[in-house]
């Protein structure tokens, strides 16, 4: 009887009658979140993206303390708890993670260190793909500036917070160390166990007469255009393109897909700007 059951299941799988139960998790960036649905992503963005799911109730929005180092209990530990609960409660068999900024580093920590926590292997096995929006995979000079306590501390308080451990971790030299010793996916390192694809923001526009400058928050785009002066010519106002593309592979550089070839600033890459939500919806 047991053998017949196994044969039935195998046949069903081969026939494609057993379908994956697909889910999506939205993983925020630096900061301590208690209502990331509204405060970090916005409901309009999330509700648009999840239209791509066979079952639109199969999503979760992570709320963790990502002011901590990525391996800490409030960061990777919290993420592992919430992902495990989501997987178990919804019986998720195929999981897409949509991360923003430093959220990609926390996810890479889990995928790179499966023996660190007994929950990590089950999460990794369920992951189908990580879509990393503007990931800070190689850090940012602006984190160095915040830690040094210069003008960027005030200019970037809304984006990074102040001298917390996550900001300290995203200093360029620190991320180079973590990438060389602890994290997978960058050049010369082992590949990540599941695909990690990035969306790279290449510029910031904040002209007051340009309606596109208001998507994601006009004041935030103005601030990002200011900080862009201390980054490479290709940047989203917070991260150089080289940092965003340092791990895994690039899905696309903003202007190659966005409506009207608009760039995605660091604020806009977590908002319903220039078709980003549609591109995510069709991919998941």
């Amino acid at each position: 009887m047991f053998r017949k059951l196994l044969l039935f299941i195998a046949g069903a799988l081969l026939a494609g009658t057993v379908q994956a139960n697909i889910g999506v998790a939205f993983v925020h960036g630096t900061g301590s979140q208690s209502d990331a649905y509204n405060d970090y992503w916005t409901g309009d963005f999330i509700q648009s993206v999840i239209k791509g799911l066979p079952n639109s109730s199969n999503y979760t929005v992570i709320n963790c303390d990502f002011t901590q180092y990525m391996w800490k209990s409030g960061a990777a530990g919290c993420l592992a708890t919430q992902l495990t609960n989501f997987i178990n409660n919804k019986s998720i068999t195929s999981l897409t993670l949509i991360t923003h900024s430093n959220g990609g580093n926390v996810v890479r920590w889990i995928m790179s260190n499966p023996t660190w926590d007994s929950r990590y292997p089950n999460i990794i096995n369920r992951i189908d793909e990580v879509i990393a929006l503007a990931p800070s995979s190689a850090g940012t000079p602006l984190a160095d500036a915040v830690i040094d306590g210069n003008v960027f501390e005030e200019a970037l308080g809304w984006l990074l917070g102040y001298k917390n451990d996550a900001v300290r971790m995203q200093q360029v030299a620190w991320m180079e160390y973590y990438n060389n010793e602890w994290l997978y996916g960058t050049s010369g390192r082992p590949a990540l166990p599941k695909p990690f694809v990035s969306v790279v923001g290449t510029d910031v526009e904040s002209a007051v007469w340009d309606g596109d400058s208001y998507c994601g928050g006009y004041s935030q785009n103005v601030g990002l255009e200011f900080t862009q002066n201390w980054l490479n010519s290709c940047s989203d106002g917070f991260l150089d393109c080289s940092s965003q593309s340092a791990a895994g592979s690039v899905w696309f550089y903003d202007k190659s897909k966005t409506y009207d070839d608009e760039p995605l600033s660091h604020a806009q890459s977590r908002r319903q700007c220039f078709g980003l939500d549609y591109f995510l919806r069709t991919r998941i």
Side-chain angles (χ1 to χ4, degrees):
M1 183 68 181
F2 180 68
R3 182 172 177 274
K4 288 182 178 179
L5 178 62
L6 288 178
L7 289 172
F8 172 79
I9 293 172
L13 287 170
L14 288 173
T17 57
V18 176
Q19 306 251 335
N21 192 26
I22 301 169
V24 172
F26 295 83
V27 184
H28 63 82
T30 301
S32 183
Q33 298 292 329
S34 59
D35 185 14
Y37 180 94
N38 291 300
D39 297 339
Y40 195 87
W41 299 100
T42 76
D44 288 343
F45 177 82
I46 288 173
Q47 291 302 316
S48 179
V49 172
I50 63 173
K51 288 178 181 177
L53 289 172
N55 180 349
S56 62
S57 70
N58 279 0
Y59 78 94
T60 188
V61 181
I62 301 302
N63 290 285
C64 288
D65 184 3
F66 287 176
T67 66
Q68 301 184 24
Y69 290 117
M70 54 190 159
W71 58 86
K72 290 289 189 176
S73 61
C78 172
L79 178 58
T81 296
Q82 293 187 21
L83 289 178
T84 298
N85 289 342
F86 174 58
I87 289 167
N88 292 341
N89 292 340
K90 292 286 191 175
S91 301
I92 300 299
T93 60
S94 177
L95 177 62
T96 295
L97 301 180
I98 297 176
T99 72
H100 184 254
S101 195
N102 182 45
N105 294 325
V106 183
V107 168
R108 277 206 299 142
W109 173 266
I110 289 176
M111 292 200 296
S112 302
N113 297 278
T115 62
W116 186 271
D117 186 305
S118 61
R119 297 168 297 180
Y120 288 6
N122 185 56
I123 293 169
I124 295 168
N125 288 339
R126 295 296 190 278
I127 292 174
D128 179 64
E129 182 176 58
V130 179
I131 303 174
L133 308 174
S136 56
S137 300
T140 175
L142 300 184
D144 297 73
V146 168
I147 296 301
D148 289 342
N150 64 18
V151 66
F152 295 113
E153 184 170 339
E154 292 302 321
L156 285 174
W158 61 271
L159 183 63
L160 275 171
Y162 297 107
K163 297 182 181 181
N164 58 58
D165 288 339
V167 175
R168 190 169 287 107
M169 181 185 79
Q170 290 173 85
Q171 294 176 95
V172 173
W174 287 47
M175 282 305 301
E176 182 179 10
Y177 167 76
Y178 296 132
N179 282 324
N180 287 337
E181 300 295 332
W182 288 99
L183 299 176
Y184 293 166
T186 53
S187 178
R189 294 286 287 156
L192 288 161
K194 295 297 176 70
F196 184 96
V197 299
S198 60
V199 174
V200 178
T202 65
D203 202 358
V204 184
E205 293 182 353
S206 64
V208 68
W209 59 83
D210 184 358
D212 294 328
S213 300
Y214 292 81
C215 192
Y218 180 71
S219 62
Q220 294 190 4
N221 289 324
V222 169
L224 289 166
E225 188 152 39
F226 168 72
T227 54
Q228 192 179 34
N229 292 314
W230 282 264
L231 298 169
N232 292 336
S233 59
C234 184
S235 77
D236 68 354
F238 176 55
L239 297 168
D240 288 327
C241 296
S242 58
S243 179
Q244 298 174 65
S245 59
S249 60
V250 173
W251 174 16
F252 68 92
Y253 289 85
D254 49 15
K255 296 178 184 179
S256 69
K257 285 183 77 73
T258 52
Y259 300 161
D260 298 323
D261 304 322
E262 289 290 334
L264 287 166
S265 75
H266 200 69
Q268 292 169 335
S269 57
R270 56 187 170 102
R271 291 288 189 268
Q272 201 173 2
C273 294
F274 320 130
L276 177 61
D277 53 316
Y278 172 77
F279 307 139
L280 294 169
R281 182 197 315 164
T282 54
R283 186 165 181 119
I284 65 174

